[in-house]
Amino acid sequence: MIDDLSPEEVEKEVTRHFEKSLIELGVGYVDLMLLHWPAQFNSKDALNPQRRLAAWRVLESMYEKGWTRAIGVSNFSEIHLARLMEDGAKVKPMVNQIETSVYNQFDKIIQYCEENDIIIEAYSPLGNGATNMLEDP
């Protein structure tokens, strides 16, 4: 669990996993790499911002090396995005992947991303299984 790691350990683990992914895929780069979830759900751990920044710096480094063409985040709120930049991120996230459908919309996150030139990428655009948009009159 990443919440059990120090920021330094997070950096090492994210680097290891990124490099392992490239090797396993047999490619020299990926088109997009996302940092998934800002922290364990509902976690109030004071080290979370430092862990996020440590992981993000690995993605920035891989982007600068050309090992990924774009970097982004997944499930970050507007607060997480702003804090990441305030804490010292050099490269702004290019994508924020969030659950978005006609049943589930996050207007504040979407507005923040639009204002800051961050692309929204939707997952579960047809619903999350609890609802079936295709069968909804």
Side-chain angles (χ1 to χ4, degrees), residues 1-136:
M1 227 3 163
I2 199 167
D3 287 347
D4 299 331
L5 303 177
S6 70
E8 295 78 16
E9 292 168 322
V10 166
E11 181 179 348
K12 289 177 187 172
E13 282 298 300
V14 173
T15 299
R16 185 175 70 79
H17 284 286
F18 195 114
E19 291 172 351
K20 182 179 178 189
S21 295
L22 291 179
I23 291 167
E24 288 178 353
L25 290 169
V27 297
Y29 71 91
V30 292
D31 290 323
L32 173 64
M33 183 59 74
L34 298 176
L35 179 59
H36 188 256
W37 284 107
Q40 188 173 2
F41 192 69
N42 286 330
S43 173
K44 304 289 185 215
D45 190 325
L47 285 178
N48 285 340
Q50 294 172 38
R51 290 185 189 109
R52 279 193 293 272
L53 184 60
W56 184 252
R57 286 192 169 144
V58 172
L59 270 62
E60 288 178 328
S61 173
M62 301 306 172
Y63 176 70
E64 291 167 2
K65 291 177 182 178
W67 292 4
T68 181
R69 291 185 177 184
I71 55 176
V73 295
S74 182
N75 299 305
F76 274 48
S77 71
E78 66 279 7
I79 296 166
H80 296 125
L81 290 164
R83 179 77 190 259
L84 184 65
M85 297 310 297
E86 291 167 9
D87 287 345
K90 294 180 228 163
V91 179
K92 176 178 56 177
M94 298 161 191
V95 174
N96 187 13
Q97 181 189 61
I98 59 174
E99 182 178 2
T100 303
S101 71
V102 295
Y103 300 113
N104 193 14
Q105 297 181 14
F106 297 96
D107 295 334
K108 289 180 183 178
I109 298 172
I110 292 169
Q111 180 181 354
Y112 180 90
C113 289
E114 287 173 349
E115 291 171 355
N116 290 278
D117 297 318
I118 300 170
I119 295 169
I120 292 289
E121 178 179 65
Y123 68 83
S124 299
L126 299 178
N128 63 9
T131 56
N132 188 341
M133 188 170 139
L134 299 177
E135 294 178 6
D136 192 349

